[in-house]
């Protein structure tokens, strides 16, 4: 059976999960989820998608990707929605999107890791982060067994109080994701290194007069603010006081590779 994994990430959590999966599944090559504007034919029998939850739903990139994916009849999918404790109805959304395209989401799991949503604060204490990494590793091990057994199950979802209201917020905010970058600002710590522009998977940052300018086709992955080595990018008034985060086993080179592969 031929497997293929696709990952999308802002701060490395989903990439780390995808790498854990790839190493447990052995024969499952891992690629970054490209930004597709035309169809992509995939020959695999089973396709795994690993991505972060954004605003209680699927990131724009994942929707675009699924919408352009062409698979063989009988190909089945599994997904890992990496989140900070509120997966809401993201995997149900994915299941519906797939069935509207004639595909099957056989398995869908929530993996909780530290939050990268810096406008609401930092990722939490190191001990808590390490506990989450440990729990995720354990969960990935039993998920791998279910994948290998070829199981089909109900996808995981958050409690009722999360799903209904937050799915509504998702729907209302989805169209404005592209322009949410209007809130990014760069402060005088910026040394014009250009890293923010290079890590952006959406080619949404242009250096103008040696400073980043956002072009309003943002995916809200938050790679730019989180990977700026000077912590010079802010989003609203509070981010200046919050620590930056990326997964400790993921490095800048990985994000640069993702951005390269997105083009
Ligand atoms: C724009 C945005 C929205 C987010 N919304 C949610 C959410 O609705 N629920 C949740 O649990 N985590 C949310 N998060 C947190 C991420 O899903 C979580 O930190 C994830 O592990 C990040 O994965 P990554 O490092 O692969 O990008 C959000 C993060 C971003 C950037
Ligand atoms: S990564 Fe930070 S320091 Fe480098 S150009 Fe961007 S904002 Fe400036
Ligand atoms: S501008 Fe920043 S938040 Fe928006 S897609 Fe690029 S890296 Fe992600």
């Amino acid at each position: 059976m031929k497997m293929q994994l696709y990952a999308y990430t802002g701060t490395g959590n989903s990439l780390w999960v995808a790498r854990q999966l790839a190493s447990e599944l052995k024969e499952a090559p891992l690629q970054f989820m490209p930004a597709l504007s035309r169809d992509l034919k995939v020959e695999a029998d089973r396709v795994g998608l690993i991505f972060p939850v954004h605003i209680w739903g699927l990131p724009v990139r994942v929707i675009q990707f699924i919408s352009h994916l062409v698979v063989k009849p009988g190909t089945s999918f599994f997904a890992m929605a990496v989140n900070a404790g509120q997966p809401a109805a993201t995997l149900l959304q994915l299941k519906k999107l797939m069935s509207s395209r004639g595909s099957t989401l056989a398995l869908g799991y929530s993996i909780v890791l530290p939050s990268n949503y810096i406008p609401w604060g930092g990722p939490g204490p190191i001990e808590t982060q390490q506990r989450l990494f440990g729990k995720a590793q354990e969960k990935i091990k039993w998920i791998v067994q279910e994948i290998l057994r070829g199981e089909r199950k109900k996808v995981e979802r958050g409690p009722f109080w999360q799903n209904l209201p937050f799915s509504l917020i998702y729907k209302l905010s989805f169209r404005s994701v592209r322009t949410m970058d209007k809130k990014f600002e760069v402060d005088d710590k910026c040394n014009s290194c250009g890293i923010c522009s290079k890590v952006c998977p959406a080619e949404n940052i242009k250096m103008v007069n040696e400073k980043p300018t956002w072009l309003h086709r943002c995916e809200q992955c938050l790679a730019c603010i989180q990977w700026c080595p000077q912590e010079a990018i802010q989003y609203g008034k509070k981010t200046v006081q919050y620590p930056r985060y990326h997964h400790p086993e993921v490095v800048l080179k990985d994000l640069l590779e993702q951005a390269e592969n997105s083009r």
Side-chain angles (χ1 to χ4, degrees), residues 186 189-196 207 210 212 228-230 232-233:
V186 62
K189 297 195 289 299
C190 173
N191 64 5
S192 308
C193 69
I195 286 174
C196 51
M207 297 299 285
E210 302 191 328
C228 166
Q230 302 301 317
I233 301 177

Side-chain angles (χ1 to χ4, degrees), residues 29-245:
L30 169 61
Q31 282 178 24
F32 287 108
M33 211 178 273
L36 294 179
S37 52
R38 53 196 152 122
D39 286 354
L40 175 74
K41 211 168 164 195
V42 174
E43 294 295 339
D45 308 289
R46 306 206 78 191
V47 178
L49 307 170
I50 306 99
F51 55 83
V53 171
H54 280 178
I55 326 182
W56 301 289
L58 292 174
V60 177
R61 167 74 52 115
V62 178
I63 295 182
Q64 263 180 6
F65 183 75
I66 302 293
S67 308
H68 286 97
L69 212 55
V70 180
V71 292
K72 300 183 296 188
T75 298
S76 83
F77 288 79
F78 55 92
M80 318 277 263
V82 183
N83 65 90
Q86 296 192 357
T90 305
L91 289 159
L92 274 183
Q93 183 194 359
L94 181 62
K95 197 176 170 76
K96 281 185 197 152
L97 177 64
M98 289 199 153
S99 75
S100 74
R101 295 191 47 82
S103 296
T104 311
L105 181 63
L107 295 165
Y109 304 93
S110 153
I111 301 281
V112 180
L113 286 179
S115 174
N116 70 349
Y117 193 67
I118 191 166
W120 285 3
I126 293 289
E127 306 74 53
T128 313
Q129 293 183 36
Q130 278 164 350
R131 191 171 42 78
L132 292 175
F133 298 143
K135 276 179 83 174
Q137 249 166 341
E138 276 171 36
K139 185 166 180 178
I140 292 165
K141 283 203 165 74
W142 67 253
I143 289 173
V144 164
Q145 296 314 311
E146 296 196 337
I147 294 171
L148 291 175
R149 285 198 296 270
E151 284 189 24
R152 263 181 92 153
K153 284 201 335 195
K154 272 190 179 168
V155 297
E156 291 183 346
R157 62 180 101 173
F160 186 69
W161 63 264
Q162 253 177 41
N163 301 353
L164 212 64
F166 292 160
S167 299
L168 188 66
I169 299 175
Y170 174 86
K171 276 188 193 138
L172 294 174
S173 55
F174 187 74
R175 275 163 198 245
S176 37
V177 167
R178 284 167 72 86
T179 52
M180 283 180 185
D181 60 2
K182 285 183 183 160
K183 255 180 118 171
F184 284 122
E185 282 175 11
V186 62
D187 66 28
D188 53 16
K189 297 195 289 299
C190 173
N191 64 5
S192 308
C193 69
I195 286 174
C196 51
S197 168
K198 291 184 194 137
V199 294
C200 176
E203 292 187 273
N204 186 42
I205 302 178
K206 194 173 160 193
M207 297 299 285
V208 178
N209 298 328
E210 302 191 328
K211 299 289 172 214
T213 304
W214 284 264
L215 303 174
H216 314 318
R217 48 170 186 256
C218 185
E219 297 180 9
Q220 277 291 292
C221 71
L222 300 190
C224 52
I225 184 169
Q226 295 282 16
W227 290 91
C228 166
Q230 302 301 317
E231 304 189 4
I233 301 177
Q234 310 304 337
Y235 194 86
K237 297 268 176 275
K238 290 189 178 163
T239 56
V240 71
Q241 74 205 33
Y242 297 141
R244 270 44 181 173
Y245 171 80

